[in-house]
Amino acid sequence: MRRRRTLTLRGTGALVAALGCMIAANLAGSRILLYIGLLLALLTLFCVVAVRVPRRSGTVTRRISTDLLTVSEASRVTVRFTLRALRVPHGLWHDVLPDAVSGDSGGEYPPENGQLSYLITGVRRGIWPLGPLMLRTVDPFGLAQREQSFGDTRSITVVPEIFTLAPLAVRVGAAGGTAHTSSSRLGQGSDNLSPRGYIPGDSMRRIHWRATAHRGQLMVRQEEEESSPDAVVVIDRSSRHWDLPGADADPAFEAAVSLCASSAVHLASEGYSVDVMDSAGGLLGTLRGHEDDRDGLLVALATVGPRGDSRDLATLIGGTPPGPLVYITGRLDEEDAALLRPSGAAAPMLFSTELLPGAADAARQHGWTVSPLGADVAEAWEDAVSARIGVGDVPG
């Protein structure tokens, strides 16, 4: 626990006045001025002792209403602060906030409702420390103050903002039209349950009694494998396509990360099995219809930044081309666009925050639907979907 004790501005003024009275008393031979100077000095000393002597310790616990804080999302932080002291002082408290979140994290102590709480809003992606809790008390005369920190910090994860995107025109797969590429995953509805013979070790709760009665032997429910089309989302993190990271976040890269998260979540909601990776081949997350998958992806995207080089896109995708392929990049010139091949994907969509001359035409020659990416992520996606309808997709 760190302690800092200092005089207030009024206390400093009192000491200066005390010193001035003593000097004037010595020059003028006035006892009144001497008494006034001594009184001010002793009063200031008394106030310093009053805020310094009491021994205080406390425990701090924080609870945040959301596990992951999204950029521009508000969340409530509830702080439970137990102070052990000779007496409960009156003062001001505030929780130290990083620049990545905003909020009014302070108030009077002790609070009227018995607990400390405040609202925060996500400003910048990342994992940031929240705290420590600071308590500032001042003596009744306002001459001396004491500021103490209590408890440890707690990490808070700010994840990219998720936007609602327009639906794709049709459900597409590697062959175009209806999806044929698939990944095996267990179904979650009652319609995909089929009975099979009982195997020792199967849970009795899975016994299919109707099938057992019909066949005359124990049968258990088995989840059938559903065929769901694959989708791939790639975010280009290569350093040469982005400005060098600085103290402030790059709006272009933040838009790219937000589109990466939004498109992955959107495609998963449309029934696709989604793999999200960076341009170097690092797997950032997979979405298979589970809430934990979504949170894991958002946590991974909370800390990504431009770095390294890109690998060939065909190498990233592998042997089986996906249905929708979303490639998100930064500064793209004609030469790089000419080398960017969608490798048989049925619905390749390319988003660039800065399309240099000739880049869009070079990419379209390989079948890409090209859309510039600005601050409005949803608009860029809608433009790409509309462009796909224009080249042959028919709304379903």
Side-chain angles (χ1 to χ4, degrees):
M1 181 176 63
R2 178 176 58 88
R3 297 183 177 90
R4 185 177 65 180
R5 311 175 190 91
T6 184
L7 292 175
T8 64
L9 191 60
R10 182 184 296 180
T12 303
L15 274 186
V16 171
L19 181 60
C21 287
M22 291 179 184
I23 294 175
N26 185 49
L27 294 177
S30 173
R31 290 189 176 183
I32 296 296
L33 289 177
L34 179 61
Y35 293 154
I36 293 175
L38 288 174
L39 179 61
L40 287 175
L42 290 174
L43 180 60
T44 305
L45 178 61
F46 170 78
C47 292
V48 170
V49 172
V51 298
R52 176 176 180 176
V53 169
R55 300 185 60 182
R56 299 170 189 158
S57 62
T59 58
V60 179
T61 57
R62 295 178 183 84
R63 182 173 57 84
I64 306 174
S65 60
T66 54
D67 295 331
L68 301 177
L69 181 64
T70 304
V71 171
S72 78
E73 177 190 18
S75 181
R76 179 165 294 278
V77 180
T78 301
V79 183
R80 300 196 181 278
F81 176 39
T82 303
L83 179 64
R84 295 181 293 274
L86 296 176
R87 64 180 181 86
V88 177
H90 290 273
L92 300 175
W93 67 271
H94 74 274
D95 222 3
V96 179
L97 299 182
D99 293 336
V101 299
S102 63
D104 184 8
S105 59
E108 293 187 0
Y109 187 86
E112 294 181 0
N113 59 359
Q115 70 178 14
L116 319 176
S117 66
Y118 57 92
L119 290 174
I120 57 174
T121 302
V123 175
R124 183 174 179 178
R125 291 182 304 112
I127 300 176
W128 313 96
L130 192 65
L133 182 73
M134 308 297 296
L135 179 61
R136 176 179 176 266
T137 55
V138 182
D139 71 277
F141 297 98
L143 301 181
Q145 67 178 2
R146 180 183 187 182
E147 190 173 47
Q148 297 173 263
S149 65
F150 296 89
D152 297 324
T153 61
R154 169 177 172 169
S155 295
I156 182 170
T157 303
V158 183
V159 299
E161 186 172 5
I162 303 292
F163 292 92
T164 301
L165 304 181
L168 290 177
V170 291
R171 192 175 176 84
V172 292
T178 304
H180 296 290
T181 57
S182 66
S183 62
S184 297
R185 58 177 177 175
L186 294 180
Q188 299 176 10
S190 59
D191 294 337
N192 56 5
L193 300 178
S194 63
R196 62 166 173 80
Y198 174 82
I199 299 175
D202 284 336
S203 172
M204 297 298 289
R205 290 178 297 180
R206 296 180 59 193
I207 291 179
H208 196 306
W209 295 108
R210 181 175 297 180
T212 297
H214 179 71
R215 300 191 183 186
Q217 63 178 4
L218 282 176
M219 305 293 291
V220 297
R221 293 180 176 87
Q222 174 180 258
E223 291 86 358
E224 292 179 346
E225 289 185 338
E226 290 179 343
S227 178
S228 78
D230 290 327
V232 175
V233 178
V234 181
I235 180 170
D236 182 8
R237 299 173 59 189
S238 56
S239 302
R240 63 194 186 92
H241 291 159
W242 303 97
D243 293 333
L244 293 177
D248 297 326
D250 178 9
F253 190 77
E254 295 305 307
V257 175
S258 185
L259 177 59
C260 177
S262 300
S263 58
V265 171
H266 174 70
L267 291 171
S269 70
E270 289 198 342
Y272 294 95
S273 176
V274 186
D275 290 331
V276 184
M277 60 186 69
D278 62 21
S279 54
L283 184 64
L284 299 174
T286 57
L287 300 183
R288 301 292 186 265
H290 303 292
E291 187 69 19
D292 290 344
D293 294 344
R294 178 182 181 275
D295 290 347
L297 171 64
L298 293 180
V299 170
L301 290 176
T303 56
V304 298
R307 71 173 188 183
D309 297 318
S310 298
R311 293 173 56 188
D312 180 65
L313 184 56
T315 304
L316 298 181
I317 295 176
T320 304
L325 169 62
V326 179
Y327 193 90
I328 307 164
T329 186
R331 190 180 304 107
L332 187 66
D333 59 25
E334 184 177 3
E335 182 180 355
D336 286 339
L339 298 175
L340 206 57
R341 307 296 177 92
S343 302
M349 294 186 288
L350 173 63
F351 297 88
S352 171
T353 61
E354 186 179 353
L355 285 167
L356 298 179
D361 291 337
R364 292 190 182 103
Q365 291 179 3
H366 296 307
W368 289 101
T369 300
V370 183
S371 177
L373 175 60
D376 194 331
V377 170
E379 182 181 14
W381 176 269
E382 186 173 358
D383 290 344
V385 171
S386 299
R388 285 210 58 77
I389 295 175
V391 297
D393 285 352
V394 179

